[in-house]
Amino acid sequence: MNAETLKLRLKQFAYRCTKVCQILPKEYLSEVISKQLIRSAFSTAANYRAACIAQSKKAFTAKLSIALEEIDESLFWLKVITDLELVEKKKLTLLNQEALELVKILSSARKTAQKKNEN
């Protein structure tokens, strides 16, 4: 997968997370979770974009690591929404799958970048 395709997927993931937040119940707990999910989802996309224009291999790996941490956090918040039954589980299945796949992609990219930094 090339960088532009991944940038688009991460941005679309963030947009899809906002749609989930819009259907959460209007209560304090949902508001807190919503803010966290939106922050982490958009941070993933922003940090990956920053990695793509990094000025060094180490800076690239550092930004990629932040993007990975943020997508993993997004996955966590989606699981919380599911576990607390704030939204029907079936409505989140595809988004959870996408989050997990993005975790794997970014994790693999970071491992590759770390190996290149060692050489």
Side-chain angles (χ1 to χ4, degrees):
M1 172 177 310
N2 69 33
E4 292 304 314
T5 302
L6 187 52
K7 282 181 193 178
L8 181 59
R9 276 183 73 175
L10 291 168
K11 185 172 71 170
Q12 288 172 338
F13 173 79
Y15 292 163
R16 290 171 63 196
C17 286
T18 64
K19 298 287 187 192
V20 168
C21 293
Q22 290 173 337
I23 63 171
L24 288 172
K26 304 300 182 221
E27 55 188 49
Y28 178 75
L29 177 62
S30 297
E31 188 176 313
V32 170
I33 293 168
S34 175
K35 287 178 182 180
Q36 292 293 107
L37 176 57
I38 289 171
R39 185 200 56 75
S40 62
F42 279 96
S43 180
T44 301
N47 278 290
Y48 181 73
R49 289 180 64 88
C52 290
I53 60 168
Q55 295 181 350
S56 69
K57 289 179 183 179
K58 285 189 177 187
F60 173 80
T61 304
K63 287 294 183 181
L64 199 57
S65 293
I66 294 169
L68 174 58
E69 290 171 9
E70 295 293 339
I71 193 65
D72 186 63
E73 182 179 336
S74 298
L75 180 59
F76 169 78
W77 290 116
L78 289 169
K79 297 288 186 192
V80 168
I81 291 168
T82 301
D83 292 347
L84 296 177
E85 299 176 348
L86 298 174
V87 174
E88 287 181 59
K89 186 176 183 176
K90 66 181 181 180
K91 289 184 178 181
L92 296 178
T93 301
L94 292 177
L95 192 56
N96 273 310
Q97 288 173 351
E98 177 70 351
L100 187 56
E101 190 171 324
L102 291 168
V103 166
K104 290 176 182 178
I105 290 167
L106 291 175
S107 179
S108 177
R110 183 177 69 174
K111 284 179 187 173
T112 301
Q114 286 172 332
K115 285 181 184 176
K116 286 182 180 179
N117 286 346
E118 291 171 3
N119 295 334

